[in-house]
Amino acid sequence: MEVDFLLIGQGLAGTVLSYRLLKEGKSVLVIDLPEGNKSSRVAAGLYNPITGRRLVKTWNADLLFPEIEPLYSSLEEELGTVLLHEKPIYIPFLSVEEQNEWMGKSGDVEFEPYLERIQIQGLYSEVNDPYGGILLKMTGYLDINTLLDHYSTYLKNKAALIEGVFEEKQLQLDPEGIRYGNIKAKAIVYCNGLGAMESKFFETLPFVPVKGEILDIQQGFKPQEIINRGVFRVVLPDGSIRLGSTYSWSDTDYGPTEGAKIELFEKSDKLILVEGKRVIHHKTGIRPTTRDRKPILGKHPEYESVYIFNGFGPKGVSLVPYYSKMMVELLIHGNRPEKEVDISRFFNYI
């Protein structure tokens, strides 16, 4: 079997990159172990341009966010299913000073694309927001599980997916590309998250595994908006509520922890003034973040046909659409990625 590109991993990164390559008329083969996609499958899928304790515009937002809706809408049309849930995000203010600061920003062209309005009084009696908050647009969440499931079927129908373990020791490099068993390709792309840490090509890259835990619960109060301050609270289509997310750099065991559940409940109770809740699911995943919190794209410095598209962490839904375009430019036309995300920034580690 001969293809243009062999991709390792069909998480969010491998799904979107392979889709873009197919749309460019290139042939792909994806090798994936479905149960290995834990970081993608437990991710809440939020995309939000204003984040962090200080409510700053997320890195490269003006480049990233215009690509989100067109890419996932195209996938919706191709796969015949709903994937993107466009919902406003409401972030309560913590103080009068914060309210005043955002009143000043309301006329700033830097924030205009993302700011629906400043709420100077509480939006809901069920929310702890005595100082009001900001209502954001160009926000929502992606149903990643539905995307991965439908896209897996899509690839199978094209005979473009092998489900199983990738055995790197079987990989051979030659002047014309790579060989893997009876498969020949011009290049191989590692899109397999933390699995890249086990590769002889990328084991020295500064990946930082971060464990995240989320809860699906039953509870009253089901607004249209995503409420987000310290914890995010999303009403899902079935009426359940998703709470998240924790971040742990020390505990990288895949099992759920009681401490994370307590942490999420405590933050939720400070934000949402509604009694009574019941846990439906408690999910965990290990996210493939990097030391500088930016993704890693590019060609291996020593091996001509070995590439990586990885390290997207908890903001993968907003990062992958834009940077997959950049990766396609590299794979097809040889155009190097921006230095901020190029693997070359880690040459000292290789």
Side-chain angles (χ1 to χ4, degrees), residues 190-225:
Y190 285 74
C191 310
N192 54 338
L194 292 175
M197 294 176 66
E198 301 173 6
S199 167
K200 66 182 180 182
F201 302 111
F202 302 115
E203 61 187 356
T204 57
L205 289 176
F207 285 107
V208 180
V210 176
K211 181 177 182 177
E213 302 190 43
I214 60 174
L215 299 175
D216 288 348
I217 67 171
Q218 288 288 359
Q219 188 181 37
F221 181 53
K222 298 178 181 180
Q224 170 65 25
E225 298 83 4

PDB file of all heavy atoms in Angstrom, residues 190-225:
ATOM      1  N   TYR A 190       3.788  12.306  13.531  1.00  0.00           N
ATOM      2  CA  TYR A 190       3.392  11.873  14.867  1.00  0.00           C
ATOM      3  C   TYR A 190       2.366  12.861  15.425  1.00  0.00           C
ATOM      4  O   TYR A 190       2.707  13.997  15.761  1.00  0.00           O
ATOM      5  CB  TYR A 190       4.608  11.784  15.777  1.00  0.00           C
ATOM      6  CG  TYR A 190       5.483  10.580  15.525  1.00  0.00           C
ATOM      7  CD1 TYR A 190       6.304  10.512  14.406  1.00  0.00           C
ATOM      8  CD2 TYR A 190       5.490   9.504  16.406  1.00  0.00           C
ATOM      9  CE1 TYR A 190       7.102   9.411  14.166  1.00  0.00           C
ATOM     10  CE2 TYR A 190       6.290   8.384  16.192  1.00  0.00           C
ATOM     11  CZ  TYR A 190       7.098   8.354  15.058  1.00  0.00           C
ATOM     12  OH  TYR A 190       7.893   7.250  14.825  1.00  0.00           O
ATOM     13  N   CYS A 191       1.122  12.397  15.518  1.00  0.00           N
ATOM     14  CA  CYS A 191       0.014  13.200  16.061  1.00  0.00           C
ATOM     15  C   CYS A 191      -0.549  12.541  17.308  1.00  0.00           C
ATOM     16  O   CYS A 191      -1.728  12.724  17.638  1.00  0.00           O
ATOM     17  CB  CYS A 191      -1.106  13.340  15.026  1.00  0.00           C
ATOM     18  SG  CYS A 191      -0.603  13.871  13.393  1.00  0.00           S
ATOM     19  N   ASN A 192       0.251  11.747  17.970  1.00  0.00           N
ATOM     20  CA  ASN A 192      -0.239  10.837  19.007  1.00  0.00           C
ATOM     21  C   ASN A 192      -0.030  11.334  20.424  1.00  0.00           C
ATOM     22  O   ASN A 192       0.155  10.544  21.363  1.00  0.00           O
ATOM     23  CB  ASN A 192       0.393   9.452  18.841  1.00  0.00           C
ATOM     24  CG  ASN A 192       1.914   9.476  18.794  1.00  0.00           C
ATOM     25  OD1 ASN A 192       2.518  10.491  18.480  1.00  0.00           O
ATOM     26  ND2 ASN A 192       2.534   8.355  19.096  1.00  0.00           N
ATOM     27  N   GLY A 193      -0.066  12.648  20.625  1.00  0.00           N
ATOM     28  CA  GLY A 193      -0.030  13.174  21.978  1.00  0.00           C
ATOM     29  C   GLY A 193       1.192  12.706  22.740  1.00  0.00           C
ATOM     30  O   GLY A 193       2.313  12.715  22.235  1.00  0.00           O
ATOM     31  N   LEU A 194       0.943  12.270  23.967  1.00  0.00           N
ATOM     32  CA  LEU A 194       2.048  11.853  24.827  1.00  0.00           C
ATOM     33  C   LEU A 194       2.727  10.582  24.336  1.00  0.00           C
ATOM     34  O   LEU A 194       3.817  10.243  24.798  1.00  0.00           O
ATOM     35  CB  LEU A 194       1.543  11.663  26.258  1.00  0.00           C
ATOM     36  CG  LEU A 194       1.106  12.948  26.961  1.00  0.00           C
ATOM     37  CD1 LEU A 194       0.509  12.644  28.321  1.00  0.00           C
ATOM     38  CD2 LEU A 194       2.268  13.924  27.101  1.00  0.00           C
ATOM     39  N   GLY A 195       2.107   9.880  23.395  1.00  0.00           N
ATOM     40  CA  GLY A 195       2.751   8.716  22.791  1.00  0.00           C
ATOM     41  C   GLY A 195       4.054   9.078  22.113  1.00  0.00           C
ATOM     42  O   GLY A 195       4.959   8.241  21.985  1.00  0.00           O
ATOM     43  N   ALA A 196       4.183  10.346  21.686  1.00  0.00           N
ATOM     44  CA  ALA A 196       5.427  10.781  21.038  1.00  0.00           C
ATOM     45  C   ALA A 196       6.602  10.742  22.001  1.00  0.00           C
ATOM     46  O   ALA A 196       7.762  10.664  21.575  1.00  0.00           O
ATOM     47  CB  ALA A 196       5.258  12.180  20.471  1.00  0.00           C
ATOM     48  N   MET A 197       6.333  10.782  23.302  1.00  0.00           N
ATOM     49  CA  MET A 197       7.412  10.718  24.283  1.00  0.00           C
ATOM     50  C   MET A 197       8.121   9.373  24.252  1.00  0.00           C
ATOM     51  O   MET A 197       9.261   9.258  24.704  1.00  0.00           O
ATOM     52  CB  MET A 197       6.856  10.969  25.693  1.00  0.00           C
ATOM     53  CG  MET A 197       6.309  12.364  25.907  1.00  0.00           C
ATOM     54  SD  MET A 197       5.560  12.576  27.554  1.00  0.00           S
ATOM     55  CE  MET A 197       7.004  12.390  28.609  1.00  0.00           C
ATOM     56  N   GLU A 198       7.450   8.361  23.719  1.00  0.00           N
ATOM     57  CA  GLU A 198       8.033   7.022  23.637  1.00  0.00           C
ATOM     58  C   GLU A 198       8.760   6.795  22.321  1.00  0.00           C
ATOM     59  O   GLU A 198       9.313   5.724  22.084  1.00  0.00           O
ATOM     60  CB  GLU A 198       6.933   5.973  23.822  1.00  0.00           C
ATOM     61  CG  GLU A 198       6.197   6.098  25.148  1.00  0.00           C
ATOM     62  CD  GLU A 198       5.002   5.172  25.246  1.00  0.00           C
ATOM     63  OE1 GLU A 198       4.813   4.348  24.331  1.00  0.00           O
ATOM     64  OE2 GLU A 198       4.261   5.276  26.238  1.00  0.00           O
ATOM     65  N   SER A 199       8.771   7.787  21.448  1.00  0.00           N
ATOM     66  CA  SER A 199       9.439   7.658  20.160  1.00  0.00           C
ATOM     67  C   SER A 199      10.913   7.989  20.280  1.00  0.00           C
ATOM     68  O   SER A 199      11.306   8.955  20.952  1.00  0.00           O
ATOM     69  CB  SER A 199       8.782   8.601  19.143  1.00  0.00           C
ATOM     70  OG  SER A 199       9.581   8.731  17.988  1.00  0.00           O
ATOM     71  N   LYS A 200      11.746   7.239  19.591  1.00  0.00           N
ATOM     72  CA  LYS A 200      13.182   7.525  19.595  1.00  0.00           C
ATOM     73  C   LYS A 200      13.485   8.863  18.917  1.00  0.00           C
ATOM     74  O   LYS A 200      14.536   9.463  19.158  1.00  0.00           O
ATOM     75  CB  LYS A 200      13.948   6.402  18.898  1.00  0.00           C
ATOM     76  CG  LYS A 200      13.647   6.276  17.409  1.00  0.00           C
ATOM     77  CD  LYS A 200      14.401   5.109  16.789  1.00  0.00           C
ATOM     78  CE  LYS A 200      14.092   4.987  15.294  1.00  0.00           C
ATOM     79  NZ  LYS A 200      14.797   3.827  14.688  1.00  0.00           N
ATOM     80  N   PHE A 201      12.554   9.333  18.078  1.00  0.00           N
ATOM     81  CA  PHE A 201      12.769  10.598  17.384  1.00  0.00           C
ATOM     82  C   PHE A 201      12.454  11.816  18.261  1.00  0.00           C
ATOM     83  O   PHE A 201      13.028  12.876  18.067  1.00  0.00           O
ATOM     84  CB  PHE A 201      11.905  10.661  16.124  1.00  0.00           C
ATOM     85  CG  PHE A 201      12.144   9.545  15.149  1.00  0.00           C
ATOM     86  CD1 PHE A 201      11.176   8.573  14.942  1.00  0.00           C
ATOM     87  CD2 PHE A 201      13.332   9.459  14.450  1.00  0.00           C
ATOM     88  CE1 PHE A 201      11.395   7.546  14.045  1.00  0.00           C
ATOM     89  CE2 PHE A 201      13.557   8.430  13.550  1.00  0.00           C
ATOM     90  CZ  PHE A 201      12.585   7.463  13.341  1.00  0.00           C
ATOM     91  N   PHE A 202      11.518  11.644  19.192  1.00  0.00           N
ATOM     92  CA  PHE A 202      11.000  12.811  19.914  1.00  0.00           C
ATOM     93  C   PHE A 202      11.036  12.666  21.429  1.00  0.00           C
ATOM     94  O   PHE A 202      10.493  13.499  22.147  1.00  0.00           O
ATOM     95  CB  PHE A 202       9.561  13.097  19.465  1.00  0.00           C
ATOM     96  CG  PHE A 202       9.432  13.339  17.986  1.00  0.00           C
ATOM     97  CD1 PHE A 202       8.721  12.459  17.185  1.00  0.00           C
ATOM     98  CD2 PHE A 202      10.046  14.432  17.395  1.00  0.00           C
ATOM     99  CE1 PHE A 202       8.615  12.676  15.818  1.00  0.00           C
ATOM    100  CE2 PHE A 202       9.937  14.667  16.028  1.00  0.00           C
ATOM    101  CZ  PHE A 202       9.215  13.780  15.233  1.00  0.00           C
ATOM    102  N   GLU A 203      11.714  11.652  21.942  1.00  0.00           N
ATOM    103  CA  GLU A 203      11.683  11.387  23.374  1.00  0.00           C
ATOM    104  C   GLU A 203      12.332  12.486  24.199  1.00  0.00           C
ATOM    105  O   GLU A 203      12.058  12.622  25.390  1.00  0.00           O
ATOM    106  CB  GLU A 203      12.361  10.043  23.669  1.00  0.00           C
ATOM    107  CG  GLU A 203      13.816   9.989  23.249  1.00  0.00           C
ATOM    108  CD  GLU A 203      14.412   8.593  23.408  1.00  0.00           C
ATOM    109  OE1 GLU A 203      13.701   7.709  23.913  1.00  0.00           O
ATOM    110  OE2 GLU A 203      15.592   8.405  23.023  1.00  0.00           O
ATOM    111  N   THR A 204      13.193  13.308  23.594  1.00  0.00           N
ATOM    112  CA  THR A 204      13.862  14.365  24.357  1.00  0.00           C
ATOM    113  C   THR A 204      13.133  15.698  24.292  1.00  0.00           C
ATOM    114  O   THR A 204      13.584  16.670  24.912  1.00  0.00           O
ATOM    115  CB  THR A 204      15.303  14.564  23.839  1.00  0.00           C
ATOM    116  OG1 THR A 204      15.258  14.857  22.430  1.00  0.00           O
ATOM    117  CG2 THR A 204      16.140  13.322  24.088  1.00  0.00           C
ATOM    118  N   LEU A 205      12.032  15.783  23.566  1.00  0.00           N
ATOM    119  CA  LEU A 205      11.273  17.027  23.539  1.00  0.00           C
ATOM    120  C   LEU A 205      10.665  17.294  24.918  1.00  0.00           C
ATOM    121  O   LEU A 205      10.276  16.361  25.625  1.00  0.00           O
ATOM    122  CB  LEU A 205      10.168  16.957  22.485  1.00  0.00           C
ATOM    123  CG  LEU A 205      10.626  16.997  21.025  1.00  0.00           C
ATOM    124  CD1 LEU A 205       9.425  16.812  20.095  1.00  0.00           C
ATOM    125  CD2 LEU A 205      11.332  18.305  20.708  1.00  0.00           C
ATOM    126  N   PRO A 206      10.548  18.568  25.292  1.00  0.00           N
ATOM    127  CA  PRO A 206      10.090  18.902  26.649  1.00  0.00           C
ATOM    128  C   PRO A 206       8.578  18.860  26.809  1.00  0.00           C
ATOM    129  O   PRO A 206       7.934  19.869  27.095  1.00  0.00           O
ATOM    130  CB  PRO A 206      10.645  20.316  26.851  1.00  0.00           C
ATOM    131  CG  PRO A 206      10.661  20.898  25.481  1.00  0.00           C
ATOM    132  CD  PRO A 206      11.012  19.768  24.558  1.00  0.00           C
ATOM    133  N   PHE A 207       8.003  17.682  26.637  1.00  0.00           N
ATOM    134  CA  PHE A 207       6.589  17.512  26.931  1.00  0.00           C
ATOM    135  C   PHE A 207       6.370  17.575  28.443  1.00  0.00           C
ATOM    136  O   PHE A 207       7.208  17.127  29.231  1.00  0.00           O
ATOM    137  CB  PHE A 207       6.076  16.163  26.416  1.00  0.00           C
ATOM    138  CG  PHE A 207       5.880  16.114  24.927  1.00  0.00           C
ATOM    139  CD1 PHE A 207       6.761  15.404  24.121  1.00  0.00           C
ATOM    140  CD2 PHE A 207       4.810  16.758  24.330  1.00  0.00           C
ATOM    141  CE1 PHE A 207       6.576  15.347  22.753  1.00  0.00           C
ATOM    142  CE2 PHE A 207       4.618  16.712  22.969  1.00  0.00           C
ATOM    143  CZ  PHE A 207       5.503  16.010  22.167  1.00  0.00           C
ATOM    144  N   VAL A 208       5.214  18.096  28.829  1.00  0.00           N
ATOM    145  CA  VAL A 208       4.847  18.172  30.240  1.00  0.00           C
ATOM    146  C   VAL A 208       3.456  17.558  30.389  1.00  0.00           C
ATOM    147  O   VAL A 208       2.456  18.209  30.081  1.00  0.00           O
ATOM    148  CB  VAL A 208       4.846  19.631  30.750  1.00  0.00           C
ATOM    149  CG1 VAL A 208       4.468  19.673  32.222  1.00  0.00           C
ATOM    150  CG2 VAL A 208       6.195  20.294  30.507  1.00  0.00           C
ATOM    151  N   PRO A 209       3.364  16.314  30.822  1.00  0.00           N
ATOM    152  CA  PRO A 209       2.043  15.694  31.004  1.00  0.00           C
ATOM    153  C   PRO A 209       1.271  16.391  32.120  1.00  0.00           C
ATOM    154  O   PRO A 209       1.796  16.630  33.208  1.00  0.00           O
ATOM    155  CB  PRO A 209       2.379  14.249  31.397  1.00  0.00           C
ATOM    156  CG  PRO A 209       3.804  14.042  30.985  1.00  0.00           C
ATOM    157  CD  PRO A 209       4.460  15.381  31.112  1.00  0.00           C
ATOM    158  N   VAL A 210       0.029  16.740  31.831  1.00  0.00           N
ATOM    159  CA  VAL A 210      -0.839  17.389  32.810  1.00  0.00           C
ATOM    160  C   VAL A 210      -2.150  16.616  32.886  1.00  0.00           C
ATOM    161  O   VAL A 210      -2.821  16.409  31.880  1.00  0.00           O
ATOM    162  CB  VAL A 210      -1.128  18.861  32.438  1.00  0.00           C
ATOM    163  CG1 VAL A 210      -2.100  19.478  33.423  1.00  0.00           C
ATOM    164  CG2 VAL A 210       0.162  19.666  32.397  1.00  0.00           C
ATOM    165  N   LYS A 211      -2.496  16.197  34.085  1.00  0.00           N
ATOM    166  CA  LYS A 211      -3.733  15.455  34.276  1.00  0.00           C
ATOM    167  C   LYS A 211      -4.899  16.414  34.465  1.00  0.00           C
ATOM    168  O   LYS A 211      -4.804  17.391  35.212  1.00  0.00           O
ATOM    169  CB  LYS A 211      -3.617  14.546  35.503  1.00  0.00           C
ATOM    170  CG  LYS A 211      -4.864  13.697  35.767  1.00  0.00           C
ATOM    171  CD  LYS A 211      -4.644  12.776  36.952  1.00  0.00           C
ATOM    172  CE  LYS A 211      -5.850  11.892  37.213  1.00  0.00           C
ATOM    173  NZ  LYS A 211      -5.618  10.949  38.317  1.00  0.00           N
ATOM    174  N   GLY A 212      -5.981  16.135  33.778  1.00  0.00           N
ATOM    175  CA  GLY A 212      -7.202  16.910  33.945  1.00  0.00           C
ATOM    176  C   GLY A 212      -8.364  16.010  34.289  1.00  0.00           C
ATOM    177  O   GLY A 212      -8.456  14.881  33.796  1.00  0.00           O
ATOM    178  N   GLU A 213      -9.248  16.488  35.162  1.00  0.00           N
ATOM    179  CA  GLU A 213     -10.434  15.720  35.541  1.00  0.00           C
ATOM    180  C   GLU A 213     -11.677  16.586  35.369  1.00  0.00           C
ATOM    181  O   GLU A 213     -11.661  17.782  35.661  1.00  0.00           O
ATOM    182  CB  GLU A 213     -10.319  15.224  36.986  1.00  0.00           C
ATOM    183  CG  GLU A 213      -9.078  14.365  37.221  1.00  0.00           C
ATOM    184  CD  GLU A 213      -9.071  13.666  38.577  1.00  0.00           C
ATOM    185  OE1 GLU A 213     -10.122  13.142  38.984  1.00  0.00           O
ATOM    186  OE2 GLU A 213      -7.995  13.645  39.206  1.00  0.00           O
ATOM    187  N   ILE A 214     -12.750  15.975  34.869  1.00  0.00           N
ATOM    188  CA  ILE A 214     -14.025  16.663  34.699  1.00  0.00           C
ATOM    189  C   ILE A 214     -15.138  15.796  35.269  1.00  0.00           C
ATOM    190  O   ILE A 214     -14.998  14.570  35.388  1.00  0.00           O
ATOM    191  CB  ILE A 214     -14.327  17.003  33.222  1.00  0.00           C
ATOM    192  CG1 ILE A 214     -14.385  15.725  32.370  1.00  0.00           C
ATOM    193  CG2 ILE A 214     -13.312  17.985  32.667  1.00  0.00           C
ATOM    194  CD1 ILE A 214     -14.825  15.975  30.941  1.00  0.00           C
ATOM    195  N   LEU A 215     -16.237  16.443  35.622  1.00  0.00           N
ATOM    196  CA  LEU A 215     -17.416  15.749  36.143  1.00  0.00           C
ATOM    197  C   LEU A 215     -18.612  16.033  35.246  1.00  0.00           C
ATOM    198  O   LEU A 215     -18.795  17.175  34.792  1.00  0.00           O
ATOM    199  CB  LEU A 215     -17.752  16.221  37.557  1.00  0.00           C
ATOM    200  CG  LEU A 215     -16.717  16.016  38.655  1.00  0.00           C
ATOM    201  CD1 LEU A 215     -17.210  16.674  39.950  1.00  0.00           C
ATOM    202  CD2 LEU A 215     -16.429  14.538  38.882  1.00  0.00           C
ATOM    203  N   ASP A 216     -19.423  15.033  35.004  1.00  0.00           N
ATOM    204  CA  ASP A 216     -20.762  15.224  34.439  1.00  0.00           C
ATOM    205  C   ASP A 216     -21.749  14.992  35.582  1.00  0.00           C
ATOM    206  O   ASP A 216     -21.701  13.947  36.250  1.00  0.00           O
ATOM    207  CB  ASP A 216     -21.039  14.240  33.304  1.00  0.00           C
ATOM    208  CG  ASP A 216     -20.252  14.570  32.055  1.00  0.00           C
ATOM    209  OD1 ASP A 216     -19.677  15.669  31.982  1.00  0.00           O
ATOM    210  OD2 ASP A 216     -20.202  13.730  31.134  1.00  0.00           O
ATOM    211  N   ILE A 217     -22.616  15.975  35.832  1.00  0.00           N
ATOM    212  CA  ILE A 217     -23.512  15.906  36.983  1.00  0.00           C
ATOM    213  C   ILE A 217     -24.943  16.224  36.568  1.00  0.00           C
ATOM    214  O   ILE A 217     -25.199  16.754  35.483  1.00  0.00           O
ATOM    215  CB  ILE A 217     -23.071  16.896  38.093  1.00  0.00           C
ATOM    216  CG1 ILE A 217     -23.251  18.352  37.622  1.00  0.00           C
ATOM    217  CG2 ILE A 217     -21.628  16.629  38.519  1.00  0.00           C
ATOM    218  CD1 ILE A 217     -23.055  19.378  38.714  1.00  0.00           C
ATOM    219  N   GLN A 218     -25.862  15.906  37.436  1.00  0.00           N
ATOM    220  CA  GLN A 218     -27.241  16.365  37.340  1.00  0.00           C
ATOM    221  C   GLN A 218     -27.436  17.473  38.371  1.00  0.00           C
ATOM    222  O   GLN A 218     -27.038  17.328  39.525  1.00  0.00           O
ATOM    223  CB  GLN A 218     -28.225  15.219  37.611  1.00  0.00           C
ATOM    224  CG  GLN A 218     -28.319  14.186  36.500  1.00  0.00           C
ATOM    225  CD  GLN A 218     -29.038  14.691  35.268  1.00  0.00           C
ATOM    226  OE1 GLN A 218     -29.504  15.830  35.224  1.00  0.00           O
ATOM    227  NE2 GLN A 218     -29.131  13.859  34.235  1.00  0.00           N
ATOM    228  N   GLN A 219     -28.015  18.579  37.928  1.00  0.00           N
ATOM    229  CA  GLN A 219     -28.259  19.706  38.825  1.00  0.00           C
ATOM    230  C   GLN A 219     -29.262  20.645  38.162  1.00  0.00           C
ATOM    231  O   GLN A 219     -29.352  20.696  36.933  1.00  0.00           O
ATOM    232  CB  GLN A 219     -26.954  20.465  39.116  1.00  0.00           C
ATOM    233  CG  GLN A 219     -27.072  21.548  40.187  1.00  0.00           C
ATOM    234  CD  GLN A 219     -25.758  22.276  40.415  1.00  0.00           C
ATOM    235  OE1 GLN A 219     -25.002  22.528  39.498  1.00  0.00           O
ATOM    236  NE2 GLN A 219     -25.493  22.628  41.676  1.00  0.00           N
ATOM    237  N   GLY A 220     -30.010  21.362  38.977  1.00  0.00           N
ATOM    238  CA  GLY A 220     -30.902  22.366  38.423  1.00  0.00           C
ATOM    239  C   GLY A 220     -30.124  23.557  37.882  1.00  0.00           C
ATOM    240  O   GLY A 220     -28.893  23.620  38.003  1.00  0.00           O
ATOM    241  N   PHE A 221     -30.839  24.494  37.275  1.00  0.00           N
ATOM    242  CA  PHE A 221     -30.284  25.690  36.656  1.00  0.00           C
ATOM    243  C   PHE A 221     -29.518  25.343  35.387  1.00  0.00           C
ATOM    244  O   PHE A 221     -28.375  24.887  35.426  1.00  0.00           O
ATOM    245  CB  PHE A 221     -29.378  26.460  37.622  1.00  0.00           C
ATOM    246  CG  PHE A 221     -28.792  27.724  37.008  1.00  0.00           C
ATOM    247  CD1 PHE A 221     -29.602  28.678  36.413  1.00  0.00           C
ATOM    248  CD2 PHE A 221     -27.419  27.929  37.030  1.00  0.00           C
ATOM    249  CE1 PHE A 221     -29.048  29.826  35.852  1.00  0.00           C
ATOM    250  CE2 PHE A 221     -26.872  29.072  36.486  1.00  0.00           C
ATOM    251  CZ  PHE A 221     -27.682  30.027  35.885  1.00  0.00           C
ATOM    252  N   LYS A 222     -30.194  25.587  34.261  1.00  0.00           N
ATOM    253  CA  LYS A 222     -29.622  25.210  32.965  1.00  0.00           C
ATOM    254  C   LYS A 222     -29.706  26.384  31.989  1.00  0.00           C
ATOM    255  O   LYS A 222     -30.554  26.425  31.098  1.00  0.00           O
ATOM    256  CB  LYS A 222     -30.351  23.977  32.423  1.00  0.00           C
ATOM    257  CG  LYS A 222     -30.188  22.769  33.351  1.00  0.00           C
ATOM    258  CD  LYS A 222     -30.931  21.555  32.895  1.00  0.00           C
ATOM    259  CE  LYS A 222     -30.740  20.407  33.899  1.00  0.00           C
ATOM    260  NZ  LYS A 222     -31.460  19.188  33.500  1.00  0.00           N
ATOM    261  N   PRO A 223     -28.792  27.331  32.156  1.00  0.00           N
ATOM    262  CA  PRO A 223     -28.802  28.505  31.275  1.00  0.00           C
ATOM    263  C   PRO A 223     -28.235  28.173  29.899  1.00  0.00           C
ATOM    264  O   PRO A 223     -27.544  27.165  29.716  1.00  0.00           O
ATOM    265  CB  PRO A 223     -27.895  29.488  32.003  1.00  0.00           C
ATOM    266  CG  PRO A 223     -26.911  28.597  32.708  1.00  0.00           C
ATOM    267  CD  PRO A 223     -27.697  27.375  33.133  1.00  0.00           C
ATOM    268  N   GLN A 224     -28.512  29.048  28.965  1.00  0.00           N
ATOM    269  CA  GLN A 224     -27.939  28.915  27.633  1.00  0.00           C
ATOM    270  C   GLN A 224     -26.437  29.142  27.654  1.00  0.00           C
ATOM    271  O   GLN A 224     -25.680  28.514  26.913  1.00  0.00           O
ATOM    272  CB  GLN A 224     -28.614  29.927  26.690  1.00  0.00           C
ATOM    273  CG  GLN A 224     -27.958  30.073  25.322  1.00  0.00           C
ATOM    274  CD  GLN A 224     -28.040  28.812  24.479  1.00  0.00           C
ATOM    275  OE1 GLN A 224     -28.930  27.985  24.677  1.00  0.00           O
ATOM    276  NE2 GLN A 224     -27.102  28.657  23.555  1.00  0.00           N
ATOM    277  N   GLU A 225     -25.986  30.045  28.530  1.00  0.00           N
ATOM    278  CA  GLU A 225     -24.576  30.416  28.556  1.00  0.00           C
ATOM    279  C   GLU A 225     -23.722  29.366  29.267  1.00  0.00           C
ATOM    280  O   GLU A 225     -24.182  28.663  30.171  1.00  0.00           O
ATOM    281  CB  GLU A 225     -24.388  31.756  29.278  1.00  0.00           C
ATOM    282  CG  GLU A 225     -25.075  32.933  28.621  1.00  0.00           C
ATOM    283  CD  GLU A 225     -26.546  33.041  29.002  1.00  0.00           C
ATOM    284  OE1 GLU A 225     -27.015  32.236  29.854  1.00  0.00           O
ATOM    285  OE2 GLU A 225     -27.225  33.919  28.463  1.00  0.00           O
TER     286      GLU A 225
END
